[in-house]
Amino acid sequence: MLKEKILYVDEIVLKRIESDFELIEKSGWCKLYQNKLDKSFWRLDEPEKYDPQIFVKLESVENWTEYNDQDLRIELLKEHRGLSSEKCKWKDCSKSALNNLVFCEFHAYKEMGIRR
């Protein structure tokens, strides 16, 4: 399940981080946390003006600041928005468009910069 790997951060998620996770390290624009129960590691991105704040489960703590979560972010966008019955308007794309958009999750994220 995607929600076990990546989350948009809101007040509920921040409270969960505060109670269920321990801050391990800060580096640049992100923080490394460890879940107190299952000992998994998660990265919290600092809030940015135009991008939503993300909390993502890491596969490893090795190079944790460099972990590429782009595919997870694209899937999260798709899950959050949902799919419409329309086809993506990007040239030669046959995927379904996201609800209330004319592009699929890939083109919305990669080409249009839509993050939520």
Side-chain angles (χ1 to χ4, degrees), residues 9-78:
V9 176
D10 58 16
E11 290 300 317
I12 294 168
V13 172
L14 287 174
K15 286 180 182 175
R16 184 173 163 220
I17 292 169
E18 189 176 302
S19 66
D20 298 347
F21 292 82
E22 179 183 347
L23 177 62
I24 303 298
E25 185 179 344
K26 293 181 185 181
S27 179
W29 294 98
C30 48
K31 297 175 183 174
L32 177 65
Y33 284 90
Q34 186 173 29
N35 185 298
K36 292 175 183 175
L37 294 176
D38 69 11
K39 304 301 182 197
S40 60
F41 289 95
W42 292 69
R43 184 181 70 202
L44 177 66
D45 295 343
E46 290 294 327
E48 292 188 40
K49 187 174 184 177
Y50 298 109
D51 286 342
Q53 191 173 17
I54 298 288
F55 193 50
V56 63
K57 187 175 186 178
L58 303 172
E59 295 173 1
S60 165
V61 292
E62 197 171 311
N63 299 318
W64 68 272
T65 59
E66 305 303 317
Y67 177 68
N68 184 346
D69 61 6
Q70 182 174 284
D71 290 342
L72 287 172
R73 288 176 185 246
I74 291 171
E75 283 301 308
L76 184 61
L77 176 65
K78 180 171 121 180

Side-chain angles (χ1 to χ4, degrees), residues 2-3 7-8 10 52 72-83 98-100 105 114-116:
L2 195 59
K3 290 186 185 215
L7 300 164
Y8 288 123
D10 58 16
L72 287 172
R73 288 176 185 246
I74 291 171
E75 283 301 308
L76 184 61
L77 176 65
K78 180 171 121 180
E79 185 176 285
H80 180 74
R81 291 263 184 162
L83 297 175
L98 297 173
N99 281 328
N100 301 315
E105 69 279 6
I114 296 170
R115 299 295 184 250
R116 188 168 190 154

